[in-house]
Amino acid sequence: MKSLLLLPLTLIILLLCADIIRAQDKESMIRISEIEVYVEHLEEYKTILKEEAAASIALEDGVVAIFPMFKKDNPTQIRILEIYRDKQAYLAHLKTAHFLKYKSTTLHMVKLLKLIDMDVLDPDTAKLMFTKMKE
């Protein structure tokens, strides 16, 4: 039941960010990463992921969002909403020092990884949501 609540939140975030991306470039890239982490590595993994996400947002113009989340009823289930200006921004992200450090230090911690490419259903609604967030 709780996992069903995560999906609407993820979709809202997608809508919020997607309109900005669409305005910048019609070839934006949106992805949800589904990750399962071994429980014995969970705390270390979360620390490394938080550092990587913060660096990506701060240092990369082409990264619009790296938004990590975890399932409340199963914290080893991580979801990351990733939004890039375009495919080139994504490819550049994969070559950054902070991403390479994240990947190399967490590889043994990850039990399962699934990458799901997404597209926006209603970019016009996102404008209204951004307005509400500013209040």
Side-chain angles (χ1 to χ4, degrees), residues 36-46 74-77 108-111:
E36 183 176 356
V37 177
Y38 292 107
V39 69
E40 62 268 23
H41 297 293
L42 182 58
E43 293 308 313
E44 183 182 8
Y45 178 87
K46 289 186 334 187
N74 186 355
T76 63
Q77 297 287 321
H108 70 284
M109 301 176 189
V110 175
K111 183 177 184 179

Side-chain angles (χ1 to χ4, degrees), residues 109-120:
M109 301 176 189
V110 175
K111 183 177 184 179
L112 180 73
L113 170 64
K114 183 177 181 184
L115 304 175
I116 305 166
D117 290 329
M118 305 294 289
D119 204 354
V120 177

Side-chain angles (χ1 to χ4, degrees), residues 70-107:
F70 62 90
K71 293 174 74 173
K72 284 186 176 183
D73 62 343
N74 186 355
T76 63
Q77 297 287 321
I78 309 288
R79 302 298 181 263
I80 307 171
L81 172 63
E82 302 175 50
I83 304 176
Y84 304 93
R85 182 181 56 231
D86 52 31
K87 181 81 171 193
Q88 291 73 28
Y90 169 71
L91 294 174
H93 168 71
L94 296 179
K95 296 175 184 173
T96 61
H98 52 271
F99 177 79
L100 293 171
K101 177 183 174 189
Y102 158 78
K103 195 67 173 175
S104 65
T105 57
T106 62
L107 194 57

